[in-house]
Amino acid sequence: MTFDEMTAAVSAKLVATFERRDRDLSSERNKKNSHAVKAGASGSSRALLMIVDLFKSEISDRAGIVSEQLRETSRAVGLQPIPDLEAQLRGYVETTMDAQHASLRANMVGNPPFKGTTLQNQSMIAQTTSQFDEVSKTARDGVLADMALLASEIQSAASNKVGRGDMHVNINAPVGILQTGDFASASQSITVTPDAAAEVVRALEVLEIAVSALTETAINRDELKAIIGECKAELAKDAPNKTRLSALLYGVAGTVQTTAALKPAYETFRTALSAIGIPLP
């Protein structure tokens, strides 16, 4: 099967999956809007945040689905190395995720809480919409990182030049994050025990405090806080979505790792992530 045939098969699966999720999303969105109307708070900040959180979760979940479908289908058809495989996977992911971002964003901003006209509402709308965009970008970057690793795995397996446990791959994760692997993606190899999850949450809180204490920084504190919140929410689940979680955690790492003043907090974060199988430089 050619690459184009493989991605056509993936696209067919994604269309069916996303159509079903669109229906579920519409139902959940309507419930939240109805609840806000009954409470007399359809234009409130709380109603706005509930809708935005719903769509942030959805775009992250869809990123995980894209990654999983590409991996599963490539294994099923025995995809072979081709010139520029990573670039072709990247192009497919960017096109697919950009389309999902645009569709979900348009759906999100069409909800009643986004119709507020006061300056306070407009400011809140701009802020939360930006948070959605950032979460979407982080999710897409996570899929791109996984596809870079997949392309390397396919090439290595075909050439039979790299033994198990000896692969070291520099992939296009945020800000040059290095991943190593045993022919497995970071999202598939992480193990989140309750103790490890608690350690990661504590490390995230240390990072959040450290960033808040900075007097001057190029880091967008609100966006970082939103991503950290998404990480905590995923870690609190009985069965976290590993693809989504790894993408979010890499997003946090990529945001803070080059800031010298955050080095102690970053080291704590790096140690915590190593406990669940996510290596950071």
Side-chain angles (χ1 to χ4, degrees):
M1 180 178 285
T2 67
F3 179 83
D4 288 342
E5 290 171 337
M6 189 272 288
T7 52
V10 171
S11 294
K13 294 177 183 178
L14 291 178
V15 167
T17 300
F18 291 159
E19 284 180 350
R20 182 176 65 254
R21 292 188 70 94
D22 282 340
R23 292 191 294 270
D24 293 342
L25 180 65
S26 178
S27 176
E28 186 63 24
R29 177 202 64 195
N30 290 340
K31 288 179 183 178
K32 291 184 181 297
N33 285 330
S34 177
H35 177 76
V37 169
K38 289 179 180 178
S42 61
S44 67
S45 296
R46 178 176 175 78
L48 178 66
L49 289 172
M50 285 195 301
I51 292 297
V52 173
D53 286 346
L54 176 65
F55 280 83
K56 287 194 297 186
S57 178
E58 184 63 24
I59 191 65
S60 295
D61 287 347
R62 294 194 184 198
I65 291 168
V66 170
S67 185
E68 290 166 6
Q69 285 293 343
L70 282 167
R71 278 191 165 272
E72 289 176 4
T73 306
S74 67
R75 283 197 301 268
V77 304
L79 185 64
Q80 296 299 307
I82 58 175
D84 300 322
L85 176 58
E86 181 183 341
Q88 293 200 50
L89 285 167
R90 170 177 286 272
Y92 179 82
V93 169
E94 288 176 342
T95 299
T96 302
M97 288 304 302
D98 286 352
Q100 290 303 309
H101 170 82
S103 175
L104 289 175
R105 195 179 196 274
N107 190 338
M108 180 181 73
V109 300
N111 284 273
F114 283 84
K115 305 303 182 183
T117 57
T118 67
L119 288 177
Q120 182 178 2
N121 282 345
Q122 289 298 312
S123 176
M124 189 69 173
I125 288 170
Q127 179 182 347
T128 53
T129 302
S130 176
Q131 289 174 1
F132 171 79
D133 292 341
E134 184 64 25
V135 169
S136 180
K137 180 180 182 301
T138 299
R140 189 184 76 158
D141 287 349
V143 183
L144 291 174
D146 195 30
M147 290 304 100
L149 188 56
L150 174 62
S152 180
E153 291 168 7
I154 291 172
Q155 180 63 49
S156 297
S159 63
N160 199 28
K161 291 181 179 179
V162 180
R164 291 182 62 83
D166 295 329
M167 183 175 67
H168 298 273
V169 184
N170 190 14
I171 63 176
N172 296 321
V175 198
I177 288 173
L178 181 69
Q179 290 186 9
T180 61
D182 186 19
F183 297 110
S185 71
S187 63
Q188 292 175 326
S189 63
I190 67 175
T191 302
V192 186
T193 64
D195 288 345
E199 184 178 351
V200 174
V201 169
R202 285 193 293 270
L204 286 166
E205 291 171 346
V206 169
L207 261 180
E208 196 169 7
I209 292 170
V211 171
S212 298
L214 293 176
T215 54
E216 294 184 6
T217 178
I219 295 173
N220 187 316
R221 290 183 174 90
D222 290 335
E223 290 180 357
L224 179 61
K225 186 177 293 186
I227 298 173
I228 288 176
E230 292 288 318
C231 291
K232 290 180 180 178
E234 200 62 45
L235 286 163
K237 296 179 180 178
D238 291 336
N241 181 316
K242 293 181 179 181
T243 301
R244 181 185 181 202
L245 179 60
S246 60
L248 290 168
L249 291 171
Y250 275 125
V252 172
T255 300
V256 304
Q257 69 171 343
T258 58
T259 303
L262 296 177
K263 186 175 181 180
Y266 175 77
E267 286 300 315
T268 299
F269 182 61
R270 185 171 67 85
T271 300
L273 262 59
S274 68
I276 64 173
I278 294 182
L280 296 177

